[in-house]
């Protein structure tokens, strides 16, 4: 009998132990997930990433994987700094939410009234676009990202001035187009109404009260931090390659925050709670609800690979979707060498942040989805496997779209003829110069070699600190074009997914001529039956054709003047041996027309 009781007791202890083990497993749905994350790290050829998970007011998971510095094998921690890119937008929008609470603005105010430096392509757009349109990306302006990526400057007035030349792709509120300039404008509105920089506002309103002591908005502070991650990309499909940091200071309000997983967890607590941190209001609850609610349809996002994932709307600095029966609010972030995703599920009191030091990475979304599946007790999906298939497919597409050089062709001009400045007011200025037998330019403050590909097409190549030229073909071919006079007049580049090249027009350096030098060009010139008058207005040489406006000119080359108001139009005066002018040629797109000077 005693033996039977002992056996029963043993069975009870074993069953009790199994039950306890099962209970612990059920209590921790993330148990064992580190194994998956390490596999993701390896499969995605990622340098490193950090994760933090918020449930209600608590951080229930926080960890780093891989390296913040691959060469020196320095590990990622939950406190490692990463650039969060466009995940910064929710911070910028929130500053406007605070200003609305203070009565300093409404979201229905005209944008140009709040920021006098801002003007759109037409007066109609100026009169229609309100602040909410900027916040929800519904102005009708497409990305124009290469404008600030390639031609960045710390001068925000200079950057925002480009918006006036951005041609809309749709009518206001007709179609959703992501545009970083609109978040720059919001940051500038904050600066104007508070008298403080956007950076100061972010620190005072969010970093300090949320105890985000690791976070900053400055690239110098980021790089000098003792626990900052280095930026990386994947080269040749399986090589982790370090890239340069990108200083996004000019466009800061659109994406210059640097933070850690633990700091961002405090930011997520605000959104999960409806605006509070440690029982103190950080954001108005009505703004939190509004920002996390649909303000504009992004796309007709029907179920595709998975029938329980659909909907693509935009709130105010947040993207909104339906994830397997749960309401998800999230925003990604990408800047050179870094990718991020910040997400929360308000009905589930759940928040997740994933920060990685890999360029254009799928890691943040893969890790986020893997966590959500387990925490919400959903049937797990192999998100890592699906991401790997997409990577392989994209590599094949990129391979198929590379241009094949046409052999045995040469530039149509000597290299010196391609030297000069080329301008597009919506983007910026390209300056091309010659060193020995090569052409160079600056893109994103980086010296770039323009390698001849074929005809007048040149491929911009990066050069590392050791002078090694990148061998990978870029997607920014420079196609130089000539005018009717045979001279180089512009560069065409396919930018921002455009179906036709964006043109940068040759901008000749203006020559300063004295009044005495200008005087010899004045007079009347017979163009058939038409008498053209050339005269001085102050220090400027003017040209007037009967029935047309008077044209201001800009002196460029010897005896040559461009007509300031007409692209591609210029006049060249014929000067005889005694330095007297006897004719002028009108050079324009439809031909060259000569007029003789009247005595």
């Amino acid at each position: 009998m005693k033996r039977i009781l002992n056996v029963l007791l043993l069975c009870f202890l074993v069953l009790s132990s199994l039950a306890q083990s099962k209970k612990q497993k059920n209590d921790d749905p993330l148990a064992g997930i580190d194994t998956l994350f390490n596999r993701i790290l390896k499969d995605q050829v990622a340098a490193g990433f950090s994760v933090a998970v918020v449930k209600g007011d608590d951080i229930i998971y926080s960890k780093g994987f891989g390296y913040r510095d691959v060469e020196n094998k320095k590990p990622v921690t939950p406190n490692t700094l990463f650039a969060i890119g466009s995940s910064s937008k929710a911070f910028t929008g929130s500053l406007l939410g605070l200003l609305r609470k203070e009565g300093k603005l409404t979201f229905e105010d005209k944008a140009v009234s709040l920021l006098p430096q801002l003007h759109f392509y037409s007066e109609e757009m100026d009169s229609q676009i309100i602040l909410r349109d900027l916040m929800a990306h519904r102005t009708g302006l497409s990305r124009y990202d290469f404008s600030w990526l390639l031609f960045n400057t710390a001068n925000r007035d200079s950057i925002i001035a480009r918006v006036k030349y951005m041609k809309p792709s749709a009518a206001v509120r007709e179609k959703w187009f992501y545009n970083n300039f609109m978040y720059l404008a919001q940051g500038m509105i904050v600066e104007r109404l508070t008298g403080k920089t956007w950076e100061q506002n972010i620190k005072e309103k969010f970093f300090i009260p949320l105890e985000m002591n690791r976070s900053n908005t400055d690239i110098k502070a980021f790089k000098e931090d003792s626990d900052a991650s280095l930026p990386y990309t994947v080269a040749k499909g399986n090589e982790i390659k370090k890239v340069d940091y990108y200083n996004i200071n000019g466009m800061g309000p659109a994406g210059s925050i640097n933070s850690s997983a633990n700091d961002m967890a405090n930011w997520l607590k605000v959104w999960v709670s409806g605006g509070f941190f440690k029982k103190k209001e950080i954001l108005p609850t009505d703004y939190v609800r509004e920002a996390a609610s649909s303000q504009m349809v992004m796309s007709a996002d029907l179920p595709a690979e998975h029938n329980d994932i659909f909907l693509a709307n935009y709130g105010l600095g947040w993207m909104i979707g339906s994830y397997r029966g749960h309401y998800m609010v999230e925003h990604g972030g990408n800047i050179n060498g870094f990718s991020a995703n910040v997400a929360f599920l308000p009905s589930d009191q759940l928040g997740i942040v994933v920060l990685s030091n890999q360029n254009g990475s799928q890691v943040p979304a893969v890790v986020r989805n893997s966590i959500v599946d387990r925490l919400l007790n959903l049937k797990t999906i192999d998100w890592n496997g699906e991401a790997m298939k997409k990577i392989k497919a994209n590599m094949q597409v990129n391979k198929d779209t590379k241009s094949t050089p046409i052999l045995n062709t040469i530039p149509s001009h000597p290299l010196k003829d391609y030297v000069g400045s080329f301008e597009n007011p919506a983007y910026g200025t390209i300056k091309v110069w010659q060193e020995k037998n090569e052409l160079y330019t600056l893109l994103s403050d980086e010296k770039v070699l323009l390698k001849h590909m074929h005809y007048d097409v040149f491929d911009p190549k990066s050069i590392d600190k050791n002078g090694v030229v990148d061998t990978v073909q870029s997607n920014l071919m420079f196609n130089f074009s000539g005018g009717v006079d045979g001279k180089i007049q512009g560069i065409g580049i396919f930018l921002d997914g455009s179906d036709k090249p964006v043109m940068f027009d040759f901008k000749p350096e203006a020559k300063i001529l004295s009044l005495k030098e200008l005087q010899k060009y004045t007079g009347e010139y017979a163009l058939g039956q038409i008498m053209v008058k050339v005269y001085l207005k102050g220090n400027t040489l003017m040209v007037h054709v009967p029935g047309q406006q008077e044209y201001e000119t800009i002196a460029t080359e010897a005896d040559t003047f461009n007509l300031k108001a007409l692209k591609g139009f210029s006049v060249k005066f014929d000067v005889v041996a005694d330095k007297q002018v006897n004719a002028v040629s009108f050079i324009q797109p439809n031909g060259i027309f000569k007029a003789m000077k009247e005595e």
Side-chain angles (χ1 to χ4, degrees):
M1 183 70 178
K2 184 176 181 181
R3 184 179 176 186
I4 294 173
L5 288 173
N6 286 337
V7 171
L8 288 173
L9 178 61
L10 179 62
C11 290
F12 174 77
L13 290 173
V14 170
L15 290 171
S16 177
S17 176
L18 288 172
Q20 183 67 23
S21 174
K22 186 175 181 181
K23 183 175 186 299
Q24 289 175 350
K25 185 177 180 181
N26 289 341
D27 285 348
D28 185 8
L30 297 181
I33 202 169
D34 290 9
T35 302
L36 171 61
F37 289 169
N38 281 309
R39 186 164 76 246
I40 292 170
L41 188 76
K42 181 180 178 182
D43 290 349
Q44 304 284 337
V45 197
F49 64 88
S50 64
V51 189
V53 181
V54 170
K55 182 69 176 174
D57 292 328
D58 300 315
I59 299 176
I60 62 172
Y61 181 92
S62 177
K63 200 163 186 178
F65 295 84
Y67 299 110
R68 60 183 174 86
D69 180 342
V70 173
E71 182 181 3
N72 296 301
K73 295 195 178 336
K74 294 181 179 179
V76 170
T77 74
N79 292 314
T80 299
L81 285 183
F82 294 82
I84 72 168
S86 287
S87 298
S88 306
K89 287 183 171 62
F91 287 85
T92 298
S94 295
L95 290 175
L96 294 172
L98 291 174
L99 289 175
R100 184 176 68 172
K101 181 183 178 182
E102 295 172 11
K104 293 183 177 179
L105 54 74
T106 75
F107 293 171
E108 283 61 52
D109 289 340
K110 287 183 181 179
V112 296
S113 298
L114 293 170
L115 186 65
Q117 304 99 303
L118 176 65
H119 286 285
F120 294 92
Y121 194 73
S122 66
E123 292 183 4
E124 183 181 15
M125 291 179 71
D126 280 356
S127 67
Q128 289 181 333
I129 293 174
I130 60 175
L131 181 55
R132 190 183 298 273
D133 297 326
L134 273 57
M135 301 174 79
H137 293 300
R138 57 189 203 186
T139 61
L141 292 177
S142 57
R143 295 187 75 115
Y144 282 90
D145 273 347
F146 280 110
S147 177
W148 61 271
L149 275 169
L150 299 182
F151 308 99
N152 192 26
T153 170
N155 187 323
R156 288 176 179 166
D157 285 339
S158 173
I159 298 178
I160 207 68
R162 299 174 192 172
V163 172
K164 179 177 175 59
Y165 303 97
M166 295 178 181
K167 190 174 182 178
S169 298
V172 177
R173 293 184 283 281
E174 179 182 68
K175 191 173 181 180
W176 184 85
F177 283 110
Y178 194 83
N179 186 292
N180 281 292
F181 286 84
M182 299 305 100
Y183 270 79
L184 167 61
Q186 291 170 60
M188 293 177 70
I189 289 170
V190 169
E191 292 178 332
R192 180 170 178 263
L193 295 182
T194 64
K196 297 179 180 179
T197 66
W198 172 83
E199 289 82 358
Q200 288 175 300
N201 276 283
I202 290 293
K203 183 177 181 179
E204 292 175 9
K205 300 298 183 181
F206 303 128
F207 289 171
I208 292 175
L210 293 177
E211 300 172 12
M212 296 175 69
N213 302 319
R214 300 278 300 123
S215 303
N216 64 64
T217 55
D218 179 65
I219 190 70
K220 187 174 184 290
F222 180 22
K223 290 194 290 186
E224 293 178 352
D225 191 275
S226 60
D227 190 10
S229 53
L230 299 177
Y232 294 94
T233 190
V234 180
K236 301 176 183 177
N238 59 1
E239 177 187 330
I240 297 175
K241 180 182 177 183
K242 184 177 175 295
V243 296
D244 292 331
Y245 287 101
Y246 183 85
N247 189 354
I248 192 179
N249 58 347
M251 290 290 288
S256 71
I257 291 176
N258 310 301
S259 190
S260 68
N262 279 343
D263 272 15
M264 290 299 293
N266 288 350
W267 172 243
L268 280 170
K269 288 177 184 179
V270 174
W271 292 88
V272 168
S273 68
F276 295 85
F277 178 73
K278 293 186 176 180
K279 298 182 180 180
K280 180 182 177 181
E281 183 183 279
I282 302 297
L283 290 174
T285 300
D286 62 342
Y287 175 76
V288 170
R289 291 183 61 84
E290 190 174 0
S293 299
S294 298
Q295 304 292 324
M296 186 66 178
V297 174
M298 290 169 58
S299 65
D301 202 31
L302 298 171
E305 292 100 340
H306 303 281
N307 60 14
D308 53 0
I309 297 176
F310 52 91
L311 192 69
N313 289 351
Y314 203 85
L316 304 176
W318 292 103
M319 295 179 180
I320 293 134
S322 179
Y323 181 85
R324 310 190 70 186
H326 296 260
Y327 192 94
M328 179 182 282
V329 183
E330 55 90 19
H331 209 295
N334 287 283
I335 195 67
N336 300 33
F338 296 96
S339 301
N341 191 270
V342 183
F344 66 100
L345 291 83
S347 299
D348 301 288
Q349 293 286 289
L350 179 64
I352 302 165
V353 56
V354 187
L355 308 176
S356 72
N357 55 341
Q358 184 184 58
N359 193 66
S361 180
Q362 296 190 72
V363 167
V366 169
V367 171
R368 178 202 67 199
N369 290 354
S370 300
I371 291 171
V372 174
D373 287 352
R374 285 159 177 78
L375 288 178
L376 299 184
N377 199 28
L378 302 170
K379 183 179 178 180
T380 57
I381 293 173
D382 182 14
W383 293 110
N384 183 47
E386 291 193 6
M388 293 303 297
K389 290 178 182 177
K390 289 179 181 178
I391 289 172
K392 290 178 181 178
N394 288 336
M395 286 176 64
Q396 185 60 47
V397 168
N398 290 335
K399 182 180 178 182
D400 293 341
T401 55
K402 294 298 182 185
S403 300
T404 303
I406 300 172
L407 302 178
N408 303 316
T409 62
I410 61 173
S412 62
H413 291 65
L415 290 185
K416 65 179 180 63
D417 289 356
Y418 299 88
V419 172
S421 296
F422 301 81
E423 185 180 57
N424 182 296
Y427 285 85
T429 301
I430 297 172
K431 293 184 178 180
V432 179
W433 71 90
Q434 182 179 356
E435 290 181 16
K436 296 181 180 179
N437 294 319
E438 301 286 2
L439 294 176
Y440 294 88
T441 188
L442 279 178
L443 295 177
S444 301
D445 297 325
E446 176 190 354
K447 183 179 178 181
V448 173
L449 168 68
L450 293 180
K451 188 71 176 175
H452 180 252
M453 186 173 183
H454 49 232
Y455 300 118
D456 283 334
V457 177
F458 291 76
D459 186 3
K461 300 284 191 182
S462 297
I463 310 166
D464 69 15
K465 60 183 179 181
N466 298 316
V468 178
V469 178
D470 192 355
T471 58
V472 178
Q473 187 181 117
S474 77
N475 296 317
L476 297 175
M477 297 298 173
F478 281 41
N479 187 6
F480 288 85
S481 58
V484 293
D485 58 359
K487 296 178 181 178
I488 297 299
Q489 290 295 318
I491 303 174
I493 310 174
F494 285 96
L495 298 174
D496 295 314
S498 59
D499 56 1
K500 59 182 180 179
V502 174
M503 292 305 302
F504 290 76
D505 298 320
F506 179 69
K507 183 181 179 183
E509 292 186 18
K511 297 177 66 176
I512 306 299
L513 300 178
S514 66
L515 284 174
K516 183 178 179 181
E517 290 174 302
L518 292 172
Q519 188 68 46
K520 68 181 179 183
Y521 302 112
T522 61
E524 294 188 334
Y525 295 81
L527 184 62
Q529 300 298 314
I530 300 173
M531 196 63 67
V532 178
K533 186 178 180 182
V534 179
Y535 56 97
L536 287 173
K537 180 182 283 189
N539 295 324
T540 303
L541 192 71
M542 308 294 292
V543 175
H544 182 252
V545 179
Q548 298 184 32
Q549 68 180 72
E550 57 178 7
Y551 295 106
E552 181 181 341
T553 71
I554 301 172
T556 57
E557 303 173 54
D559 305 313
T560 302
F561 297 75
N562 285 354
L563 301 188
K564 190 175 180 179
L566 293 177
K567 175 183 172 182
F569 289 73
S570 61
V571 292
K572 181 176 176 59
F573 295 90
D574 291 352
V575 181
V576 293
D578 59 356
K579 297 185 178 182
Q580 296 298 309
V581 176
N582 64 359
V584 63
S585 293
F586 292 84
I587 303 169
Q588 50 197 59
N590 61 331
I592 300 175
F593 306 91
K594 193 167 186 177
M596 301 305 297
K597 188 174 185 181
E598 292 288 294
E599 295 298 333

